[in-house]
Amino acid sequence: MKIVLLNGTITGTKTERLLTVVDTYIREAAPDLGIEHIDLKDYDLQFADGRPTEEYNDDMQHLIHSIESADGYIIATPVFQGGIPGVLKNLLDAISPLAMRYKPVSIVATGGTLQHHLVIENQLKPILDYFRCLITPNFVYTHPGHFTDDKQLDNEEVKNRLRELSHVFLKYLEMGRDLSPYKSNLPT
């Protein structure tokens, strides 16, 4: 099985740092699990405009294939201007909704205020629900007070919540695997 840890931004380091912590916890609990890190800043991204996958550049084709072939996802995103980054939404627009059906997704996010956690509830979760993903109930939201001046995660409560998120995600991964034989027979 392969999971993708997706850094849904092309700027900053906090989401990347959160994914590093999650990676550690997942490897501790499931050392044989295949993990692919995708950091969107490492790719030459194109606008998703409905064209067939093979008409995108090599980087976009690689991203689409990596997302569609994964068995589960942990998505890390900042909240900018009261919304998820356009680059993350653009990538999701290029993915076939059928490819993510009944695959688990956990969310970690960071924003500038305590209230920005609502962006996850009001924007990202509805998109993932459209894909019919198995969204874990325990997303982790962080704010500047959880990080040191040099952007290192420095909050034990958040680390504990990331550990719990990792364990719940692995249980959802099992559930998704159990549902996989039925995916081809489900209505669209």
Side-chain angles (χ1 to χ4, degrees), residues 162-187:
L162 289 170
R163 183 184 305 276
E164 180 183 347
L165 175 137
S166 300
H167 286 283
V168 171
F169 173 80
L170 291 171
K171 292 297 183 186
Y172 272 60
L173 193 61
E174 291 175 24
M175 186 173 24
R177 182 179 43 221
D178 291 344
L179 290 172
S180 64
Y182 305 104
K183 289 179 187 175
S184 60
N185 297 326
L186 295 171

Side-chain angles (χ1 to χ4, degrees), residues 68-115:
E68 291 184 351
S69 65
D71 298 299
Y73 319 91
I74 297 179
I75 298 174
T77 184
V79 173
F80 295 136
Q81 307 290 18
I84 64 171
V87 68
L88 176 57
K89 177 63 168 91
N90 183 67
L91 176 60
L92 293 171
D93 286 344
I95 306 300
S96 166
L98 297 175
M100 294 178 73
R101 183 173 284 191
Y102 299 120
K103 294 180 182 179
V105 179
S106 286
I107 302 165
V108 295
T110 189
T113 72
L114 294 174
Q115 292 78 14

